[in-house]
Amino acid sequence: MRTRPLKVALLGCGVVGSEVARIMTTHADDLAARIGAPVELAGVAVRRTGKAREGIDPALVTTDATALVKRGDIDVVVEVIGGIEPARTLITTAFEHGASVVSANKALLAQDGAALHAAAEANGRDLYYEAAVAGAIPLIRPLRESLAGDKVNRVLGIVNGTTNFILDKMDSTGAGYQEALDEATALGYAEADPTADVEGFDAAAKAAILAGIAFHTRVRLDDVYREGMTEVTAADFRSAKEMGCTIKLLAICERSKDGTSVTARVHPAMIPLSHPLASVRGAYNAVFVESDAAGQLMFYGPGAGGSPTASAVLGDLVAVCRNRLNGATGPGESAYADLTVSPMGDVVTRYHISLDVADKPGVLAQVATVFAEHGVSIDTVRQQGKDGEASLVVVTHRASDASLSGTVEALRKLDTVRGVASIMRVEGE
């Protein structure tokens, strides 16, 4: 074993960063044995000094992150500060000064992953980011390495624990959205401002990363269709149960049947109770991968939190340090396929549409005619009426998002249609 330690700079010392530092200290001997050399925490960049940080030598703490990554003796920079800037500049500066980088920054990787990979390659350094998607669940490395010889066709997953907790609570207790969100906040699963989670921004960033790796194509955050879950109601769950389904906020990345394009999207969807993702409860994450040779694979576990995310960071740190000792680098960006990223309008799926209609003869015929005129085939219809008003639930066969949008627009113009109560996609057949 080499006695000279590999030096690590830690950018950020919050929930994840402090746990990374703790594990590096408490598991130092094991990490050294696995890597082939000791690792040393050489500096910790924070926003403000003066705060006691258990287990971290105050002499290592600095507010000058730029100076830390420029030192030249740093072997690996661990970035867990999040956001776009200054993280982007710090990472590229680290590469330029000879350090490899381990990051948990999903937003930055989804937006500028190609540029970061290019900077790493130009400087002969590694960029690893297992912790950016689904916390402790090994997912990036299996897609990037274990399935490198296979053809991945679909990645379907629950990649945000906050939203899954809320939807699971609504499903199991009949609670409304706000009630379930309040409980998630009280238990610490939801941030004070939950927008990034409940509006799907967090999941969309992860979908962009997963799609890029799975399909060897550059997929940016702007390419991902995003729809939040704030409009999901208890009534939607009742309808789902009548169909033998539940509702999840899904990240879905798919290769087209002809293999020339891909799509990436995040939205609530009904999935059959028989699907493996339907049983994912609480704040857990799970990702279902479908490929030609391996078939169907499912990855499951805690998707967030200090310890699970730190576990993924440390796994990357071990891999990067091994590469450093061997004078090698691991897999970089693979975008050779360069497939077209299709818009949401091209996506084909089933739909569950709930309409408020007048309770009188001929309404169903009018609605069915509109669906037929737009080329959308109906699978089932259920109608309930009382006191001159009725609800009409239509479940379609597979149709494109564009054709369904045209159908709904035409339905709104019918005098007998009082309103469109909800529209939800049905996935996981």
Side-chain angles (χ1 to χ4, degrees), residues 32-70:
R34 294 165 192 168
I35 292 168
V39 288
E40 173 188 308
L41 188 59
V44 181
V46 298
R47 291 180 181 175
R48 291 178 294 276
T49 57
K51 175 183 176 182
R53 293 175 171 85
E54 186 177 353
I56 297 177
D57 183 351
L60 297 179
V61 179
T62 178
T63 57
D64 194 344
T66 301
L68 179 59
V69 300
K70 282 184 174 182

Side-chain angles (χ1 to χ4, degrees), residues 99-123:
S100 291
V101 173
V102 172
S103 176
N105 197 330
K106 54 187 170 287
L108 177 58
L109 288 159
Q111 179 171 306
D112 289 323
L116 295 178
H117 275 292
E121 183 177 0
N123 291 280

Side-chain angles (χ1 to χ4, degrees), residues 24 59 77 110 137 141 146 150 175 179 194 206 233 235 257 268 284 310 350 353 371 387 391 415:
M24 285 184 63
V77 169
I137 304 172
R141 193 170 288 121
S146 303
D150 204 345
E179 183 183 350
K206 295 170 182 176
T233 66
K257 290 188 181 300
Y284 274 69
R350 295 176 67 203
I353 305 102
F371 276 87
D387 299 329
S391 64
D415 292 339

Side-chain angles (χ1 to χ4, degrees), residues 118-142:
E121 183 177 0
N123 291 280
R125 293 294 176 252
D126 275 322
L127 173 62
Y128 276 50
Y129 43 90
E130 184 69 63
V133 180
I137 304 172
L139 187 58
I140 300 298
R141 193 170 288 121

